[in-house]
Amino acid sequence: MATGILVGNFTKKPTILLGSLLFLALFGCLLKHYDIILFSIFLLVGYIRARPLVKLQKLLKNGEKTIISGEFIVYNEQFLRIPRTSLYFSMNPRDLPHGTRVYAKGRLKDNFNRLELLEISIKSASQNFLEKSHQRIKSLIDEIFGKYEEGALIKALILGDRGTLSRKTKENFRYSGSAHVLAISGLHINFLFTMLFTFFMFVLRNKVAADTAGLIIVLLYVLSIGPLAPCYRSFMFLLLNVLSSWFKRKPVALNIWGVAFAISIFFYPSWLTEPSFLFSYFTVLGYIITSRNTWKPILKATRMVQSYIYTVTVPMIFTLPLQIVFFRYVTLMGLLSNLILLPCTFLTIFETIFCLMFKLINCKIYLTFANCALCLAHLMLKVASFFGEKNIFVINF
């Protein structure tokens, strides 16, 4: 028997949850906000889909002693997904190609979320175009940047594959308060779409056609990466904004946030207990609540500096409760480290994408972009190490 990330204690009190959803639906009717009713319906369906996971959780209450075995698909070297389901485990990194079908046996750890492998064997290699494309890009990154820590960091930024990053590097990013830069999120998706849209707009001279072509390629990229919550969230936000522009409707940020959240829970109810999912949505919620309509720079002369500090500070404030609940610590170095690492992350992604594009057409200029990306990745590692090792600024709970 196999299962994946399980839903938390909120599902153990169905009366409270169902009552809350009913109240939310009635509230929407009274205010004539029918999007609230739709949101309630999606949450209800997500709750119903999550019920089997609760039963599995009861069966696996002695998690530390439970042995799980079965057929899985490997994603990003550190996820084992059950075929034809949305259920998956995290595991210790293994040098296995993306999309590989394996037979695995292991012991449950950490609230049934992690599988300590006892046995693993390959059944078959990657079977579809997306998985093979992912593996091709991964091999290309290894060929260009080598299997060093800088190359592993670039691989994490482009493919979401953190399996080859050393434990020390992961801890440095975590304790420096900048672990979020390693997640494929809005920064990656929006940059890729903007670049594709610009190219197709130049070629096709039609906004709808350029939007469509860009969305299709970004969707293929998202699907090739695997079940990463921030990545899916970013694509849904992008899609809903593009659809709004097509129908000439002014997008309402909070509505888009709610619809994307509801759709996520509908398809992946287990994400409600996943830190990356909650961090991603709470960060965006923070930006929506403290939008530029309510936030104004104090001095026009320092508008850019204040805007940048605002961009870095909001995620830290709105994800602080989650940081305490999930990781039991808070770092005070996050503001300073992010001021340096965020622009470095953007530039590294920019240099790497162009490096890969020129490498694929065998143009030697790719070496210039590769050297720039390596220098930036090395700088990121040094900055994360400097701030991450300042443990005096970490408050444990």
Side-chain angles (χ1 to χ4, degrees), residues 29-50:
C29 289
L30 291 173
L31 296 180
K32 295 184 179 181
H33 279 277
Y34 302 108
D35 49 346
I36 297 179
I37 301 173
L38 181 63
F39 181 71
S40 305
I41 293 172
F42 270 91
L43 286 180
L44 177 61
V45 174
Y47 165 76
I48 294 172
R49 285 168 52 83

Side-chain angles (χ1 to χ4, degrees), residues 71-128:
E71 183 179 342
F72 299 88
I73 305 173
V74 176
Y75 285 101
N76 287 319
E77 292 191 354
Q78 51 186 351
F79 290 108
L80 288 171
R81 183 175 183 176
I82 304 171
R84 297 178 296 278
T85 72
S86 61
L87 307 178
Y88 57 92
F89 291 100
S90 60
M91 66 171 182
N92 292 326
R94 295 294 180 105
D95 190 15
L96 294 170
H98 184 82
T100 303
R101 272 63 177 172
V102 300
Y103 171 83
K105 180 180 180 181
R107 183 180 292 108
L108 287 172
K109 292 293 225 180
D110 301 331
N111 297 321
F112 319 123
N113 181 20
R114 192 166 190 82
L115 198 64
E116 182 184 18
L117 292 177
L118 303 175
E119 177 186 341
I120 186 168
S121 58
I122 297 176
K123 292 176 67 77
S124 63
S126 302
Q127 296 180 354
N128 62 48

Side-chain angles (χ1 to χ4, degrees), residues 104-173:
K105 180 180 180 181
R107 183 180 292 108
L108 287 172
K109 292 293 225 180
D110 301 331
N111 297 321
F112 319 123
N113 181 20
R114 192 166 190 82
L115 198 64
E116 182 184 18
L117 292 177
L118 303 175
E119 177 186 341
I120 186 168
S121 58
I122 297 176
K123 292 176 67 77
S124 63
S126 302
Q127 296 180 354
N128 62 48
F129 169 76
L130 294 175
E131 293 167 355
K132 291 177 181 178
S133 299
H134 180 105
Q135 190 59 30
R136 169 62 177 152
I137 297 174
K138 177 182 173 183
S139 300
L140 205 59
I141 291 175
D142 286 337
E143 178 186 341
I144 296 172
F145 301 104
K147 294 189 176 182
Y148 303 101
E149 199 67 9
E150 288 81 3
L153 177 60
I154 291 172
K155 198 186 306 178
L157 293 176
I158 299 299
L159 297 175
D161 187 350
R162 289 172 280 181
T164 52
L165 276 175
S166 69
R167 182 178 179 181
K168 182 63 176 175
T169 296
K170 293 177 185 177
E171 289 179 351
N172 286 339
F173 275 96

Side-chain angles (χ1 to χ4, degrees), residues 7 11 42-54 85-87 263-270:
V7 178
T11 53
F42 270 91
L43 286 180
L44 177 61
V45 174
Y47 165 76
I48 294 172
R49 285 168 52 83
R51 290 303 297 168
L53 301 181
V54 180
T85 72
S86 61
L87 307 178
I263 293 175
S264 299
I265 301 306
F266 177 82
F267 287 104
Y268 291 93
S270 58

Side-chain angles (χ1 to χ4, degrees), residues 29-30 53 78 92 136 149 152 179 188 225 227 233 242 248 251 284 289 322 338 357 366 380:
C29 289
L30 291 173
L53 301 181
Q78 51 186 351
N92 292 326
R136 169 62 177 152
E149 199 67 9
H188 307 70
I225 290 175
R233 188 272 307 165
V242 170
K248 301 187 184 304
V284 176
I289 293 175
L322 297 174
N338 280 283
M357 289 172 56
Y366 84 88
M380 289 181 67

Side-chain angles (χ1 to χ4, degrees), residues 19 31 48-49 64 80 82 102 112 132 161 175 177 205 245 257 316 327 329 337 363 390:
L31 296 180
I48 294 172
R49 285 168 52 83
E64 293 291 331
L80 288 171
I82 304 171
V102 300
F112 319 123
K132 291 177 181 178
D161 187 350
Y175 287 119
R205 301 291 180 176
S245 68
W257 184 93
M316 293 181 59
F327 304 116
Y329 74 87
S337 63
C363 181
K390 304 294 182 181

Side-chain angles (χ1 to χ4, degrees), residues 210-252:
D211 278 334
T212 303
L215 284 173
I216 290 173
I217 295 177
V218 171
L219 176 61
L220 294 175
Y221 169 70
V222 168
L223 294 176
S224 71
I225 290 175
L228 299 180
C231 190
Y232 284 16
R233 188 272 307 165
S234 301
F235 178 76
M236 282 191 288
F237 272 55
L238 173 64
L239 176 62
L240 292 170
N241 274 291
V242 170
L243 290 176
S244 297
S245 68
W246 285 0
F247 293 101
K248 301 187 184 304
R249 297 287 299 272
K250 183 179 179 181
V252 179

